[in-house]
Amino acid sequence: MTSLRITNVHLVDPEHQTVELGNLSVKNGQIAADDPALPSVDGQGKYLAPGIVDIGAKVCEPGERHKESFRSAGLSAAAGGVTTLVTRPDTDPAIDSPETLEFASRRAQATCAVRSYQMAALTKGRLGKEMTEIGFLQDAGAIAFSDCDAVVTNTKVLSRALTYARQLGALVIGHPQDPGLSQGAAATSGKFATLRAIPAVSPMAERLGLERDLAMVEMTGAKYHADQLSTALALPALERAKRQGLDVTAGVSIHHLTLNELDVADYRSFFKVKPPLRSEDDRLAMISALASGLIDIISSMHTPQDEESKRLPYEQAASGAVALETLLPAALRLYHAGHLDLPQLFRAMSLNPSRRLGLDSGRLSLGAPADLILFDPNVPFVLDRFSLRSKSKNTPFDGQRLQGRVLATFVGGQKVYAR
């Protein structure tokens, strides 16, 4: 492991909610007491923060390596300041057995530039009919369990899976959505969707899905994380569940924090995500919930799609956007707008996801892993999607002015990216 001392940096500490000018030393891959004898790197007054821990990124191995591989995702993550990837099981085939999980873990270990942990499916084939072997998958290294956007509609199956998960202390990640209401929808219901004649879904579908999941969590006592909330209608249910003491947390995607339904404009399919982009009022409500701590985590929800899947009429185009490299500069929009300070941002992107997953990362404390990013929050640039390291280029931020660049990324004290 590399030992070094990074000097003259603004230390962004999400644990103590501070930003202070100082130095940071690394020994044997861990943050250590400051040691002037170590080889020094001058941070030139830039900002040093814990690396981003991204829950819910999709890497398309097995099945669709042409969209994203662990190698390309790792390069993209490192360039975006993401030091830990927690990947989804919605692959082809789904990661629903110890064998497929082992394949993904080995591929990640062999080719991914950053740390990588894998979720496993909650039900076999993500079909919602029969739960997976949660204990065996956990033994094989599954860090959490989710059927992603394939919502389990059979409550008997879901209750059994949640009960087993509780007995094993496993985290279940749900996608709050009523699939009956949201089936076939490509936008949020309202004047905009009506004028554009786009099939739409009411925000109530998210509230209904979350209310059901939280009721099941209350019944079983399971650990539960809502992968992404996007509408103000869902927030009272989350607040009530936390007040009752249920073991629940919630996330929000970077796209629902920085974009709204009007960005779709004239059927721009790179803005088609799931759930669909919401109203500006909903976007502001998500920011307020994040600032108050009601929503815990910001995720990229990185979903690579090839050109053939996106260059279609809006209704037919695939949902999803790549976001590993744009997560930090997009999140810094909230900082520059005065909505959130830097410790709040890194609390949601580093500390809280680490705590939820039981990881030691996300902190600048002594003994924590030296997973770090050095960045300049003020440097402006115009994004060119073809400069992204991801195999897929489906970003809604193409051609947009962003502010904030990653200068260097360290994983266990090793530099894995430098600008």
Side-chain angles (χ1 to χ4, degrees):
M1 295 290 184
T2 301
S3 295
L4 74 157
R5 182 173 185 248
I6 306 173
T7 63
N8 186 28
V9 286
H10 289 89
L11 299 169
V12 181
D13 188 340
E15 195 172 22
H16 298 102
Q17 292 289 289
T18 58
V19 179
E20 296 178 350
L21 188 65
N23 311 311
L24 186 138
S25 294
V26 174
K27 290 183 180 179
N28 299 319
Q30 295 182 327
I31 297 171
D34 193 32
D35 185 352
L38 292 174
S40 294
V41 175
D42 186 358
Q44 299 181 346
K46 306 306 182 187
Y47 290 73
L48 189 72
I52 296 170
V53 178
D54 189 25
I55 298 181
K58 182 172 181 179
V59 177
C60 306
E61 290 190 73
E64 296 177 304
R65 289 189 72 246
H66 67 285
K67 293 184 178 181
E68 194 80 286
S69 65
F70 277 105
R71 182 181 182 278
S72 61
L75 293 172
S76 187
V82 176
T83 54
T84 299
L85 280 175
V86 181
T87 62
R88 307 199 309 252
D90 54 341
T91 49
D92 184 17
I95 298 176
D96 61 357
S97 68
E99 292 77 18
T100 52
L101 178 64
E102 184 181 3
F103 169 83
S105 299
R106 286 189 174 185
R107 288 292 299 169
Q109 187 173 7
T111 64
C112 189
V114 301
R115 302 185 195 273
S116 179
Y117 298 92
Q118 283 68 50
M119 299 183 206
L122 189 64
T123 66
K124 292 183 179 180
R126 299 172 54 240
L127 297 174
K129 296 179 180 179
E130 183 181 357
M131 71 178 184
T132 54
E133 295 171 323
I134 295 174
F136 290 153
L137 285 162
Q138 195 174 37
D139 290 343
I143 198 167
F145 295 84
S146 177
D147 275 357
C148 305
D149 61 354
V151 177
V152 180
T153 57
N154 187 318
T155 50
K156 178 65 76 174
V157 172
L158 181 59
S159 67
R160 288 173 176 168
L162 289 171
T163 299
Y164 271 88
R166 177 186 58 78
Q167 292 171 349
L168 295 167
L171 175 66
V172 174
I173 298 180
H175 180 72
Q177 197 69 214
D178 182 281
L181 286 175
S182 61
Q183 185 176 9
T188 300
S189 59
K191 182 178 180 180
F192 177 81
T194 301
L195 289 173
R196 292 294 190 276
I198 302 175
V201 59
S202 167
M204 189 62 73
E206 183 173 296
R207 174 182 165 182
L208 288 172
L210 183 63
E211 293 268 19
R212 186 207 66 157
D213 283 4
L214 293 177
M216 299 294 286
V217 170
E218 184 178 358
M219 182 176 75
T220 60
K223 292 166 58 178
Y224 175 86
H225 174 72
D227 62 357
Q228 48 177 334
L229 297 185
S230 60
T231 175
L233 281 174
L235 295 178
L238 176 63
E239 186 176 16
R240 185 171 64 250
K242 288 191 170 188
R243 192 168 59 246
Q244 290 175 345
L246 301 184
D247 192 353
V248 299
T249 51
V252 59
S253 88
I254 189 59
H255 300 116
H256 291 96
L257 287 170
T258 55
L259 304 170
N260 67 33
E261 60 187 348
L262 301 182
D263 286 304
V264 171
D266 293 324
Y267 310 101
R268 299 164 69 188
S269 60
F270 278 16
F271 289 82
K272 185 180 180 184
V273 293
K274 188 184 293 185
L277 294 175
R278 306 299 193 182
S279 69
E280 178 65 5
D281 287 343
D282 280 326
R283 186 184 77 86
L284 294 175
M286 295 303 102
I287 294 172
S288 295
L290 195 62
S292 71
L294 179 58
I295 290 180
D296 307 270
I297 292 168
I298 300 174
S299 297
S300 73
M301 297 310 294
H302 176 80
T303 305
Q305 300 288 4
D306 53 26
E307 296 288 316
E308 291 78 6
S309 301
K310 279 292 190 181
R311 297 296 186 187
L312 293 170
Y314 193 84
E315 182 180 346
Q316 301 170 23
S319 296
V322 294
L324 291 174
E325 285 181 67
T326 56
L327 175 56
L328 180 59
L332 287 171
R333 283 183 165 184
L334 306 177
Y335 164 69
H336 291 299
H339 293 303
L340 299 168
D341 59 30
L342 289 176
Q344 285 177 311
L345 273 182
F346 281 91
R347 180 188 68 188
M349 294 192 296
S350 301
L351 180 62
N352 285 350
S354 297
R355 285 176 169 171
R356 193 52 169 151
L357 297 168
L359 304 176
D360 291 331
S361 52
R363 302 174 295 127
L364 296 182
S365 304
L366 296 181
D371 297 350
L372 306 164
I373 55 173
L374 181 68
F375 68 100
D376 183 343
N378 299 313
V379 59
F381 68 100
V382 176
L383 181 72
D384 176 4
R385 70 189 184 99
F386 293 106
S387 69
L388 298 176
R389 289 154 183 80
S390 174
K391 286 187 176 184
S392 297
K393 313 297 182 184
N394 54 306
T395 172
F397 296 110
D398 183 38
Q400 294 200 25
R401 291 178 175 84
L402 297 172
Q403 195 172 359
R405 286 277 202 186
V406 175
L407 304 176
T409 303
F410 302 85
V411 175
Q414 297 276 7
K415 186 181 288 186
V416 296
Y417 171 79
R419 184 161 182 79

